[in-house]
Amino acid sequence: MSEPGARITRAEVTHVARLARLALTDDEADSLTRELGVILDNAARVSALDTAGVPPTAHPVPLVNVLRADVPKPCLDRDEVLSQAPAVEDGRFLVPRILGEEP
Amino acid sequence: MTDTTDTADASRTDQWETVVGLEVHVELATVTKLFCACPNLFGAEPNTNICPVCLGLPGSLPVLNERVVEFALRVGEAFHFDVPERSIFHRKNYFYPDMPKDFQTTQYDEPICLAGWLDVDGVRVGITRAHLEEDTGKSVHLGGGGRIHDASHSLVDYNRAGVPLMEIVSEPDMRSSEQARRYVEELRATLLAIGVSDVKMEEGSLRVDANISVRHYGDEFGTRAEIKNVNSLRSLARAIDYEHDRQIEMLERGERVKQETRHWDEEAGCTRPGRSKEEPDDYRYFPEPDLVPIAPSAELRAHVRASMPELPAAQRTRLIDEWGINDHEAGVLLSTPGLAEYAETAVVALDGGGTPKDVVNWATNDVLSYVNETGLSPALLAPEMLAELVRLVGDGTISRNQARDVLAESLREEKWPKAIVSERGLAQVSDEGALGAAVDDVLAQNADAVEEWRSGDDKVKKKKRGFLMGECMKALKGQGNPQLLNRLLDERLARG
Ligand SMILES: [Zn+2]
């Protein structure tokens, strides 16, 4: 097994944390870099197998075309839904100022 | 837009080529959303068409709408796509409140439609792919004049979240704003004909992003800018022309075009850079574990193939051939939903009392103006009434000018033209005896004018003849058949 941390850098860990909107302390970033490295090492053992003839699996169940008829069903009650939201205005969810671009 | 002179513009056009590729998002006209049974409705009260699936509540599971698969196959047929044996959905991860799940379910590297094309005025435009994805919710930004960056907070309505979309991505095969506009027109007409979308740009059921770059003829592609927020065909053409000028000016100053997203500002007539991001997009796509692959069966493929309607390109060729109309007229007929069908029914109802060309003239002028003014669909109008009007003009009962008023009233009041003509006493006098008598009276009362006509040069002749014709029409209260009246007047003047 290779040295822990070799498969992922600290910079990659902070990048992924940012994408997931997680605020990490320096200590947390260090320990996560180590721990994720160990997980990736384990995953690497699977990569070592010869999978040349095995198709990639997107889904564990061998099923296709699970479909539903295009028929409407009742929706949720708006007041009930909005009562669960932290803030509401005009029948809409009120959210803080949106930073960044719409994707 | 620019302060350069015409000659400078001309030399530019010689040197620079615009390259345009378009991404068209189309909302599919299903009854329910893509992965849940909420109604797919435009204009409902905010947050009334929402459920645990489209709100992304824990434990909820998406199930694909079967009609969406059929619609995608129709798109596949219409644009000559390959529809692979299997396609799958991915999660596109991002944080933005327009998707409560914090990801958008979309197709990524295994889309349902690959490598199609659309012929636009004889030029083949390649279509790289068409894939399925869910639409997002709608946000309203408050404070800061509605502008996103100055807003104090935003309000979100999730009625649109989960509405089925197809994103249709063209190759960079277009070379002018006009061609891009025509591509969207043709795409729109085709989508409408196959019944998969109502393609209303003003309601956002068809949205266009444009990738634009410029290059010297023969060079490699230049760096492109992606233009968003284009809400009409007119804006699309304006935005492309603006970008074309902007990029050429930069390059001629020795600057480089930046690859970026820009927004079209309709009022200012320009594009502006979006807020620049600190990092490139990183959506961490991965296969959606809650959805199984789509594998269209041979039966479904055959069913779709057998049920495809005549496509606009074929309909256009047929109408031009059968009706003897020109390309422009056919284009106008086909670009307004329902107008071609309206004209086709009217032509059948003519029953020999006029030509298809007459029908097309009225349909693409007076009827189209009425449709545009009222916002009514031509499908709600009675084509048989137009056919009757054409017959009334054809047999000389009323003149073209009278027919315009009659048609206006017929459309407005849903009344048969014949009834209007008899109510208003409009019927044209086409009786040769009555018209001849009127001409004789006028000539007798205006002997001076007749004499001046006889002795005058061409100019005087023309003027006096016009005067006499006017007097005849006046004597007949405007109801004389003009062709007949002209002939009778000329005959009598010549006879002396
Ligand atoms: Zn729903």
Side-chain angles (χ1 to χ4, degrees), chain B residues 259-278:
Chain B
Q259 179 158 356
E260 63 182 348
T261 302
R262 299 176 68 88
H263 295 262
W264 171 247
D265 182 332
E266 178 69 31
E267 257 171 60
C270 68
T271 64
R272 296 181 204 286
R275 194 183 145 105
S276 61
K277 296 171 195 167
E278 307 102 82

Side-chain angles (χ1 to χ4, degrees), chain B residues 94-340:
Chain B
Y94 66 86
F95 289 94
Y96 196 79
D98 64 2
M99 279 315 259
K101 300 185 290 189
D102 287 337
F103 63 84
Q104 179 190 30
T105 308
T106 178
Q107 295 195 299
Y108 181 51
D109 56 358
E110 291 187 57
I112 192 154
C113 290
L114 280 168
W117 49 265
L118 174 63
D119 281 341
V120 181
D121 305 327
V123 177
R124 180 151 300 180
V125 176
I127 310 182
T128 321
R129 56 185 280 154
H131 70 253
L132 292 166
E133 63 183 32
E134 54 184 348
D135 209 345
T136 58
K138 258 188 198 167
S139 327
V140 190
H141 308 298
L142 296 182
R147 290 190 35 194
I148 182 167
H149 306 307
D150 310 331
S152 55
H153 57 282
S154 302
L155 301 180
V156 193
D157 166 15
Y158 290 121
N159 281 347
R160 202 180 64 182
V163 162
L165 283 181
M166 265 197 117
E167 179 174 342
I168 303 171
V169 184
S170 88
E171 294 286 320
D173 282 353
M174 287 157 277
R175 295 292 176 266
S176 69
S177 54
E178 173 58 16
Q179 212 180 19
R181 196 183 62 75
R182 287 281 307 117
Y183 166 83
V184 177
E185 260 178 16
E186 208 60 31
L187 191 78
R188 203 159 69 154
T190 305
L191 291 166
L192 194 74
I194 62 175
V196 300
S197 174
D198 60 9
V199 294
K200 291 183 181 158
M201 280 186 97
E202 66 281 10
E203 288 182 6
S205 64
L206 184 141
R207 310 193 281 271
V208 182
D209 297 335
N211 288 305
I212 305 162
S213 63
V214 296
R215 63 171 172 186
H216 283 295
Y217 282 93
D219 278 4
E220 298 281 296
F221 287 135
T223 308
R224 64 194 160 84
E226 183 181 7
I227 313 302
K228 292 189 178 259
N229 197 33
V230 180
N231 296 323
S232 68
L233 287 179
R234 192 169 159 267
S235 311
L236 173 67
R238 288 178 72 200
I240 293 171
D241 288 339
Y242 176 86
E243 267 307 299
H244 163 92
D245 288 354
R246 184 185 73 87
Q247 294 184 14
I248 290 172
E249 272 176 31
M250 286 184 77
L251 293 169
E252 288 187 340
R253 280 200 303 266
E255 295 168 31
R256 305 178 77 168
V257 174
K258 208 166 112 190
Q259 179 158 356
E260 63 182 348
T261 302
R262 299 176 68 88
H263 295 262
W264 171 247
D265 182 332
E266 178 69 31
E267 257 171 60
C270 68
T271 64
R272 296 181 204 286
R275 194 183 145 105
S276 61
K277 296 171 195 167
E278 307 102 82
E279 336 177 26
D281 293 329
D282 187 344
Y283 294 125
R284 294 149 292 144
Y285 287 95
F286 65 86
E288 166 60 81
D290 291 341
L291 289 163
V292 301
I294 305 173
S297 66
E299 294 76 34
L300 183 62
R301 289 171 188 258
H303 163 75
V304 165
R305 208 165 295 137
S307 66
M308 288 294 283
E310 182 185 38
L311 297 180
Q315 193 181 13
R316 172 195 301 261
T317 314
R318 179 171 60 79
L319 295 184
I320 290 173
D321 284 356
E322 288 179 6
W323 291 359
I325 59 176
N326 63 36
D327 215 47
H328 172 74
E329 289 166 323
V332 176
L333 272 184
L334 290 170
S335 59
T336 301
L339 194 60

Side-chain angles (χ1 to χ4, degrees), chain A residues 20-78:
Chain A
R21 302 295 188 270
L22 295 173
L24 299 184
T25 64
D26 283 354
D27 284 352
E28 283 169 334
D30 287 339
S31 63
L32 277 170
T33 306
R34 252 188 334 269
E35 287 164 21
L36 287 171
V38 172
I39 292 168
L40 289 173
D41 279 341
N42 285 322
R45 293 161 67 184
V46 179
S47 303
L49 297 172
D50 179 12
T51 55
V54 184
T57 311
H59 204 275
V61 192
L63 266 182
V64 293
N65 298 331
V66 175
L67 303 169
R68 136 188 95 71
D70 187 21
V71 176
K73 288 196 183 143
C75 296
L76 290 174
D77 178 70
R78 178 168 80 176

